[in-house]
């Protein structure tokens, strides 16, 4: 693999007493679509702003294409950012907004205009070039912001929750367009978001951050199926998280005693536990089986239904076991046809031991 | 038949609107109409007589000294507006972008304090400071310069105008700069625009309306000010407000003073209207 485009080496960012980013080490590859994801205040936007030079790291080093960027002024870098608010200049029309970066680089008026129009055309805005930006729709403004950032042909594009102000159906469409654009251009996209669906839909690699620390890095599938720790398991997807004491272990198969009952899990090879150790594990809500008859066997929890969330083909059921532990189950709507949910009778959740994923702490 | 709800008689709304309408008619439109009427009156034996003659207009506008004074006043007010805008901007910029919100609040409070004391008193303190034997000339003498005559010059007038207008211009500019969305400034940097260039390509256009409103206030206050050109500028040649005083004092020529006043009002209306049009103009 070639040298990474961006390297964060032991980067720390403090705002007074508050540590926004703590000892971050991260490589971003050439041509990669990387999503930085986490709850608000996790340091993802600060990380992005440090990359754009809008914040200086308190410690550590950020390198872009091999060059140390710590003291490079924001206007001396080519790291265009697409703002959450889009930050389009209201006193310029769409074309002039796109031309802005080229003008700052001293390009002559004719080539500026040609390049700007070319980009507006590429993003389907050819007819809106001379419109003031406040007369464009949300999706059109979004594209103007993208064109403005991409017109200088940068190596890297930074995006700070750019889709959060759009309608749900537009978000889906823009996701597709962004992915396509990134493939075509072959440049690095660093995309900050708190939305799992956006990050998972677009990114080659997802970085989950919490409290200024990277909690897990990996492909979307990997993070979804094998969350590294409790934080990731809680933040990503709908996981049932259980914790308890190891009561017995035969090779990789261990029995865990939790308040909700005794469950069998497979211990990963790299880990070893002895009797009495605490261990937590997650079972994704879509790997849980639901039945109104006791299926007998391992990993069965009798529950009562609390509420349900119907969004179409998939239903999420919220259940509670006798001891008060909450469970979630995502079931295909058609599978529920012969299960009686209304009467309030006991339902049985079950899963194979292989579906339980052991978490690091 | 349908009735336009906007045109239906609404006694409740009217009751609340009445006071301001009555006030404006009694104390603004009324005197203004009377002043315009007065420009056609005649003065005989130091007494005003109702008439409808163009004599005052012909007498005032037909003379060179009126127009000399008119353009002098226009020039001084324009210069004052330019000076105040340019001097105030760095201060407003610093208050908007370089200091904390808390310091900004205190600064605006201190900028209001000058209005607590009479403008006349503040002008007289300049009279002492700028005098040939005053502290400024004393300091300049210490480094081997001067003495310079600063009183009774256009420089003196300008100092007076700044005393009157600068605090207000700084406040108005600060309010307009502080409301700028910071991400737009960052976006300019992000797109390769240096700090100084950002001021002119992004910050000034964004604050345009507020900057023009501040300038308009400065122009109006300077154009109509009597104190600075009279006490610090030496009143010669006279500006229009001084001319109004002189005309009323010499021979009770109230109608001719009214001609000057009407000309001033017309000028201010024109300038203010044109400026507001520019300030709120939008690209189409």
């Amino acid at each position: 693999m070639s040298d990474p485009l961006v390297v964060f080496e032991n980067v720390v960012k403090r705002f007074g007493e508050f540590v926004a980013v703590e000892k971050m080490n991260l490589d971003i590859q050439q041509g990669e679509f990387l999503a930085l994801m986490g709850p608000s205040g996790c340091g993802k936007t600060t990380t992005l702003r440090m990359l754009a030079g809008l914040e200086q790291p308190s410690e550590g080093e950020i390198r872009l294409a091999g060059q140390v960027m710590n003291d490079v002024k924001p206007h001396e870098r080519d790291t265009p950012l697409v703002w959450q608010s889009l930050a389009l200049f209201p006193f310029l029309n769409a074309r002039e907004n796109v031309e802005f970066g080229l003008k700052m680089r001293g390009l002559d008026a004719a080539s500026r205009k040609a390049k700007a129009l070319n980009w507006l055309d590429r993003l389907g805005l050819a007819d809106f070039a001379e419109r003031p930006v406040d007369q464009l729709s949300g999706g059109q403004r979004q594209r103007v912001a993208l064109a403005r950032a991409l017109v200088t042909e940068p190596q890297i594009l930074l995006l700070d929750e750019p889709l959060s102000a759009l309608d749900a159906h537009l978000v889906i469409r823009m996701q597709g367009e962004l992915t396509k654009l990134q493939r075509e251009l072959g440049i690095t996209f660093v995309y900050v978001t708190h939305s799992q669906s956006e990050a998972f839909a677009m990114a080659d690699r997802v970085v989950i951050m919490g409290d200024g620390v990277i909690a897990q890095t990996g492909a979307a599938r990997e993070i979804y199926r094998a969350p590294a720790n409790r934080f990731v398991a809680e933040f990503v997807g709908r996981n049932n998280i259980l914790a308890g004491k190891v009561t017995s272990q035969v090779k990789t198969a261990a029995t865990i005693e939790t308040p909700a009952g005794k469950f069998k899990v497979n211990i990963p090879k790299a880990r070893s536990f002895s009797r009495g150790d605490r261990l937590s594990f997650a079972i994704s809500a879509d790997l849980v089986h639901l039945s109104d008859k006791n299926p007998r066997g391992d990993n069965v929890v009798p529950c009562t239904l609390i509420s349900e969330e119907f969004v179409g083909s998939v239903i999420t059921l919220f259940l509670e076991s006798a001891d008060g532990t909450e469970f979630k189950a995502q079931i295909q709507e058609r599978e529920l046809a012969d299960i009686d949910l209304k009467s309030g009778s006991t339902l049985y959740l079950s899963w194979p031991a292989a579906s339980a994923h052991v978490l690091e702490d | 038949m349908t009735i336009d709800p906007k045109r239906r008689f609404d006694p409740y709304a009217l009751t609340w609107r009445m006071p301001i309408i009555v006030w404006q008619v009694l104390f603004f439109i009324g005197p203004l109409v009377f002043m315009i009427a007065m420009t056609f009156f005649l003065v005989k034996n130091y007494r005003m007589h109702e008439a409808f003659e163009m004599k005052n207009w012909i007498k005032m506008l037909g003379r060179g000294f009126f127009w000399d004074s008119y353009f002098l006043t226009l020039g001084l007010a324009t210069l004052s507006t330019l000076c105040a805008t340019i001097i105030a901007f760095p201060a407003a910029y610093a208050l908007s972008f370089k200091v904390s919100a808390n310091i900004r609040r205190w600064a605006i409070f201190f900028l209001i304090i000058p209005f607590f004391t009479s403008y006349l008193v503040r002008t007289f303190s300049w009279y002492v400071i700028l005098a040939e034997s005053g502290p400024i000339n004393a300091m300049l003498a210490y480094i081997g310069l001067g003495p310079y005559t600063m009183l009774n010059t256009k420089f003196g007038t300008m100092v007076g105008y700044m005393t009157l207008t600068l605090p207000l211009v700084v406040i108005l500019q600060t309010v307009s700069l502080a409301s700028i969305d910071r991400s737009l400034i960052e976006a300019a940097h992000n797109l390769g625009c240096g700090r100084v260039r950002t001021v002119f390509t992004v910050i000034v256009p964004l604050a345009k309306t507020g900057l023009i409103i501040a300038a308009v206030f400065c122009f109006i206050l300077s154009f109509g000010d009597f104190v600075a050109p009279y006490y610090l500028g030496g009143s010669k040649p006279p500006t229009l407000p001084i001319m109004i005083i002189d005309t009323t004092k010499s021979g009770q020529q109230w109608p001719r003073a009214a001609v000057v006043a009407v000309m001033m009002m017309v000028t201010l209306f024109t300038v203010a209207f044109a400026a507001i049009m520019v300030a709120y103009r939008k690209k189409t």
Side-chain angles (χ1 to χ4, degrees), chain A residues 277-289:
Chain A
D277 281 355
R278 281 193 68 82
L279 179 153
S280 50
F281 59 99
I283 312 105
S284 180
D286 62 333
L287 298 177
V288 173
H289 182 73

Side-chain angles (χ1 to χ4, degrees), chain A residues 49 74-75 79-81 83 85 87-91 96 101 103-105 132 134 148, chain B residues 181 183-184 186-195 197 201-202 205-206 282-284:
Chain A
R49 288 171 59 82
H75 61 91
T79 50
L81 196 142
W83 265 260
S85 64
L88 295 175
F89 301 119
F91 50 90
E96 290 163 335
K103 197 172 173 181
M104 295 306 130
R105 278 165 180 75
D134 59 3
R148 185 178 72 172
Chain B
D181 179 0
S183 65
L184 289 171
E186 289 183 341
H189 292 323
N190 183 249
L191 291 164
C193 193
R195 273 162 191 264
R197 204 171 174 189
T201 51
V202 175
L206 282 172
K282 270 199 160 180
K283 289 196 167 194
T284 45

